[in-house]
Every structure is written in C-alpha cells, then in structure tokens.
Amino acid sequence: MDALRKQASKLREQVAKQQQAVIKQFSSSGYESSDVVVIDEVEMQRHHQLEKLYRATRAGKDFQKEIVKAAETFTAIGYKHIETGTKLSEDCCKYGAENNSDNILSKAASVYGDARKHVEKEHEELNRLLSTQVLDPLRQMINGVPLEDARHLAQRYSRMRQEAEAQREEIARRQARVREAPTAEQVAKLHAAEARMQELKANMAVLGKEAAAALAAVEAQQQRLTFQRLVAMVEGEKTFHLRVAAILGEIEAEMVSDRQKKESAPPVGISENGTEKTMYFLAEATHPFSGESEKELSFSKGDFVVVRKVSQSGWSEGECNGKAGWFPSAYVEKRQRIPSSNMAGEVY
C-alpha cells in the first residue's frame, strides 16, 4: 500500500508539472520571466539581461509595425487625394477653356487647374518616398532573419533554463532519497542528475552569451533604422508641404493680382447728364503710360492731356495726340482748366 501511495503521489507531481509547463508555454511572451536563482547570481544576471533585450526587441518590432501601418494609410489616402485632385484639375482647365473670355473666374480656374497638376505630382513624390524610404526598409527588418534568429536563441535559453530549474528540483529529491536510503542505485541516480545539471550549466553559459550578443545587435539596429526612417518621414512631409505651399502661394498672388487689375481697370463707360456743365482741364503727364487695350490712352512723360472726366475708381478719361481713352489719374498733374464751350472740336 505504501508503494502504491508513493507511486500515486509521484504521478500527481508529474501531472502538476506538466500542467504548469503548458500554462507557462501559452501564457508567456516567448521568453519566460522568473526570479528563481537556478544556478548562481551570474546566470541570474544573464537571464535578466536576455529578458530585457527580448522585451526591447519585441517593443521595437511592434513600433515598426505601427509606423508601417501609418505609412500605408498615408499612402492610401495620398492616392485618393491624387485621384480627386487630378479630377478637379481637369474640371478647372475645362471650365477655363470653355469660358475663355475676359473674366476673372475663367482665368483663375485655368491657373488653379494647372497648379493643381503640380500639387498632385508632389503628392506622388511623397508617396514614392514613403514606399521606398520608410515602408520597404521597415518591412524588411520586421520580417528579417537576424531578428528571428536572435529571438529563437533567447527562447532556446529560456527553455533550457526551465529544464535546469526542473533538474535542480530533481537533484533535491535525489539528495533527500539518498539521505533516507543511501543505496548504490540512489547514489548513481543522484550523480547522473548532477552530471546533467553541469551539462546544462555549461550549455547555458555558451547559449546565453550568444543570445545576448545577437539580441543586443538587433536592438541597436532596430533603434538606428527606426530613427532614420522617422527622420525620412519628417523630411519628406516637410518638403512636400513647403513645395505645395510655394505652388499655392504663386497662384494666390496671381489670382489676387488679376482681381486687383480687374477692379482698378478703367470704367466701361460713364453716362453723362446733358444739363450738366462739363469742365475740362489741361494736364501734364508726370509718368509715361502704355495702354493695354484700345480704350486706354497711351502717352509719354511731358505730354499734355486734355482731361474730360475723372472717375472715383482712380482713372480719368481724356485726349492726347489726337487719341482718346482712359488712363490712371495719378499719372498726370493739372495745369489749366478749360471751359467745355471751348472744346467743341477735336483736340490736337
């Protein structure tokens, strides 16, 4: 009966250990954390070093995955932006071409349509940079052999350490049995357990050093590469936004200039009141003016102009050298008033 009880107790211990091993296997992150001193303090320090490096490389890999996910999203949005912007560019150019007249909107549509093409080219360049300078290098490292090999070495060390922990418990049991019944068989089993422990210790020393060196190298590479890719993202986005801002700044200046010219252009015509006495005056040109249309009057500095009307828009209408038209009021200075009764004929 005592033998049966001992055998049943031994079986229960084995089942409990197997259950604990299964729980550890499925609950751990790949490297088993433990504060139990299996061999000595030196091994414990190695264990903590590997645990820290394993977690660091896992965090680095997860961070790289997040960057890749974000860059992929930026690229997808970028292509959608390019598609929408290209369609808008085509619509603007079409409107400007079909409504090609002297109005500010059609010209602004054409200018914006052309500029929009350049904006989308910059977007294509940004997408290309994200793909070649960020996505490809990070994906290569995430799925690279050095990272997986280093982590496999650490996992092997972790499993070997668990085996050494179990072996240490086995030696304690063998020592207890030898103290109870110091038979040759029990002593031999104790020596075999101790020999196995020495073998594990030697293997762990070699494997631990190799795993630590591999993980440290991978972590350093992760840090360096990830930092470089982040800098590449920042520089790429900065260049993109600066170039787009320059393009938009140029077309904004052109649109504003066209609007100002349109608003300050000479009046199309001013109705006259037949009962109102019109006063003319002679003015001297202080600046040369070259008209841009048939309704504008050109003259040189020093020419005398007979001014017939002055508009509140800053333009005046008059005659010079046998021609009539509008010109900027600020380009002439008044010299003499002429009664309208004296202006029955054409002025030369």
Side-chain angles (χ1 to χ4, degrees), residues 3-65:
L4 290 175
R5 290 194 186 94
K6 289 182 180 180
Q7 186 176 4
S9 178
K10 184 176 181 180
L11 287 173
R12 282 196 297 271
E13 290 178 0
Q14 292 177 350
V15 170
K17 287 182 180 180
Q18 291 175 354
Q19 290 177 342
Q20 189 66 24
V22 171
I23 292 173
K24 286 183 178 181
Q25 180 180 357
F26 287 99
S27 63
S28 66
S29 59
Y31 189 89
E32 183 64 31
S33 176
S34 174
D35 292 328
V36 177
V37 178
V38 176
I39 298 176
D40 52 29
E41 287 298 329
V42 174
E43 189 282 326
M44 193 66 182
Q45 292 176 2
R46 177 71 73 188
H47 165 64
H48 286 159
Q49 180 190 20
L50 287 174
E51 182 182 3
K52 182 179 178 180
L53 287 170
Y54 193 91
R55 290 179 178 178
T57 54
R58 182 183 63 185
K61 181 178 180 179
D62 291 343
F63 182 49
Q64 289 176 336
K65 287 181 177 179

Side-chain angles (χ1 to χ4, degrees), residues 62-265:
D62 291 343
F63 182 49
Q64 289 176 336
K65 287 181 177 179
E66 293 300 324
I67 296 176
V68 167
K69 187 186 300 182
E72 288 174 343
T73 303
F74 291 155
T75 303
I77 295 174
Y79 283 123
K80 186 65 178 177
H81 194 287
I82 292 170
E83 179 183 353
T84 304
T86 301
K87 178 65 168 57
L88 178 59
S89 172
E90 294 172 353
D91 292 341
C92 288
C93 292
K94 181 180 179 182
Y95 179 86
E98 294 179 351
N99 298 272
N100 189 13
S101 59
D102 188 20
N103 75 68
I104 192 170
L105 178 58
S106 60
K107 186 174 181 180
S110 297
V111 169
Y112 181 72
D114 291 337
R116 192 78 239 176
K117 295 176 184 177
H118 296 290
V119 171
E120 302 319 323
K121 287 182 180 179
E122 294 298 335
H123 231 131
E124 290 176 356
E125 179 63 21
L126 176 61
N127 277 4
R128 186 196 65 79
L129 182 142
L130 288 175
S131 178
T132 59
Q133 301 296 318
V134 179
L135 289 172
D136 291 348
L138 288 180
R139 285 173 180 154
Q140 184 177 359
M141 185 164 193
I142 290 171
N143 302 315
V145 174
L147 174 62
E148 293 305 314
D149 286 350
R151 290 167 67 82
H152 287 159
L153 288 174
Q155 291 167 358
R156 281 177 54 195
Y157 184 88
S158 179
R159 290 192 294 269
M160 190 176 293
R161 193 172 192 277
Q162 293 173 21
E163 183 181 352
E165 185 177 351
Q167 192 65 24
R168 186 172 66 90
E169 295 175 357
E170 176 67 17
I171 291 174
R173 285 193 298 270
R174 292 298 178 187
Q175 289 174 341
R177 290 176 183 176
V178 167
R179 286 193 296 270
E180 292 175 359
T183 63
E185 181 182 0
Q186 294 295 342
V187 171
K189 289 182 179 180
L190 174 59
H191 289 167
E194 290 175 342
R196 175 56 183 162
M197 189 63 174
Q198 290 299 320
E199 181 183 355
L200 287 172
K201 181 178 179 181
N203 292 338
M204 286 173 65
V206 176
L207 183 59
K209 185 177 181 179
E210 183 181 356
L215 283 175
V218 168
E219 184 195 21
Q221 186 182 11
Q222 277 183 334
Q223 295 282 323
R224 182 175 62 257
L225 179 67
T226 307
F227 177 78
Q228 291 173 347
R229 297 313 99 201
L230 279 178
V231 171
M233 279 186 68
V234 171
E235 291 177 345
E237 289 189 76
K238 176 185 175 182
T239 301
F240 166 75
H241 289 296
L242 287 175
R243 289 179 177 174
V244 170
I247 294 171
L248 297 179
E250 289 180 4
I251 65 170
E252 180 191 26
E254 186 172 352
M255 287 179 175
V256 170
S257 176
D258 290 341
R259 184 188 65 188
Q260 291 175 343
K261 288 181 180 179
K262 190 70 175 178
E263 291 176 350
S264 62

